Amino acid sequence: MITSVQNDKVKQWKKLHKRKGRTESGAFFVEGFHLVEEAHKSNWEIKELIVQEGINVQHIEGEFPITEVGDNVFKHISKTETPQGIAAIVKMNQPKVVNGSTVLLIDSIQDPGNLGTIIRTADAAGFNAVMLGENTVDAYNEKVIRATQGSLFHLPVTTENLDEKITELKEEGFNIWASSLSGARSFDELEVGSKTALILGNEGAGVRDEIVELADTVVKIPIYGKAESLNVSVAAGILMYYIKM
């Protein structure tokens, strides 16, 4: 039982709330019964289970260390408003080979809620992978993980150099679509090829011009009302489901 927030283990867990700590350790922090169970069911490596005193975790079966902590310690490491008393340290899983015919590329999205929702929607739509540009929010950010509702564990999510990856995808026969409001065709006028990669961009600035120039097709979603644009996660859902129809 760990009861002090000054314990060395507790300090290491706290470091995982920062991108630098996650990168250095190759692990990340997952909180709540649902997300811990999704990680476990999806065969991600749980390095350690952290359980608040009095919480029953007998239904989570696995060969991993379990550390019990006092209420004060769990509140100290928790990032949720109503902690459930269970968390896990999970090893990062960065697949290098992605197979399939539909890929989503993310250029500089900054809002964790948007990215998590997009990953969840990609999972629901049956996309084969999500590839994050280097300026995008970290996929292992706690807010991203919560917004994915476990979908992070269901499909490959990698960090890539988008310029290089787009070139590779073209060589593999992918048709590259970039979402933009200027110089674009309405998505529903287009035929979807056998392999399609969709690029979505930053909430305010959109896809960078140099990335748009690499695309085969620039697409937009028509705006019929007075709104200037759609939220990027909503746009992602519309375009991904159209591609998969």
Side-chain angles (χ1 to χ4, degrees):
M1 169 78 76
I2 296 177
T3 57
S4 171
V5 297
Q6 298 303 319
N7 182 280
D8 287 342
K9 260 195 171 186
V10 176
K11 292 179 180 178
Q12 291 300 315
W13 296 335
K14 286 284 285 185
K15 288 181 180 180
L16 299 181
H17 293 319
K18 301 290 186 181
R19 189 170 194 162
K20 180 181 178 182
R22 294 190 291 269
T23 301
E24 290 177 350
S25 67
F28 60 103
F29 188 90
V30 170
E31 188 177 347
F33 278 98
H34 175 67
L35 290 173
V36 170
E37 289 171 348
E38 285 297 314
H40 185 43
K41 287 191 299 183
S42 301
N43 295 318
W44 284 54
E45 182 183 338
I46 293 179
K47 299 171 71 70
E48 186 172 14
L49 199 64
I50 305 164
V51 181
Q52 184 177 329
E53 59 180 324
I55 299 296
N56 187 347
V57 293
Q58 290 180 349
H59 64 290
I60 302 178
E61 298 179 357
E63 295 182 2
F64 36 75
I66 298 177
T67 301
E68 190 174 13
V69 301
D71 297 358
N72 62 318
V73 172
F74 200 89
K75 289 176 182 177
H76 181 69
I77 62 173
S78 173
K79 298 288 281 186
T80 60
E81 292 184 8
T82 54
Q84 296 179 13
I86 182 172
I89 308 304
V90 183
K91 183 180 178 180
M92 289 182 181
N93 183 7
Q94 184 81 311
K96 295 300 181 185
V97 178
V98 174
N99 298 314
S101 60
T102 49
V103 175
L104 182 65
L105 291 83
I106 303 295
D107 178 33
S108 305
I109 284 179
Q110 297 296 305
D111 184 85
N114 280 337
L115 179 60
T117 300
I118 289 169
I119 292 171
R120 181 180 180 182
T121 306
D123 181 18
F127 262 56
N128 301 114
V130 178
M131 300 178 179
L132 310 181
E134 293 161 343
N135 296 318
T136 297
V137 61
D138 182 13
Y140 298 109
N141 175 296
E142 288 96 340
K143 291 181 180 178
V144 174
I145 296 170
R146 287 200 297 275
T148 72
Q149 284 293 299
S151 288
L152 176 69
F153 305 117
H154 302 162
L155 77 169
V157 179
T158 65
T159 299
E160 309 285 354
N161 179 306
L162 292 188
D163 300 63
E164 295 176 359
K165 182 51 66 174
I166 289 168
T167 300
E168 291 176 15
L169 290 170
K170 284 186 174 183
E171 292 173 352
E172 294 171 14
F174 277 83
N175 186 30
I176 312 297
W177 288 19
S179 175
S180 177
L181 292 175
S182 59
R185 296 177 60 189
S186 179
F187 75 94
D188 53 359
E189 298 175 357
L190 303 171
E191 291 188 11
V192 180
S194 58
K195 290 184 173 183
T196 304
L198 170 65
I199 311 170
L200 296 169
N202 176 268
E203 291 87 347
V207 180
R208 286 173 292 142
D209 291 342
E210 56 267 36
I211 297 295
V212 172
E213 290 174 3
L214 296 174
D216 300 303
T217 306
V218 184
V219 302
K220 67 178 180 181
I221 299 171
I223 302 293
Y224 299 109
K226 295 182 179 180
E228 291 185 359
S229 62
L230 288 169
N231 173 276
V232 66
S233 62
V234 174
I238 293 169
L239 293 173
M240 282 192 286
Y241 269 89
Y242 179 77
I243 289 168
K244 289 296 292 188
M245 285 175 60

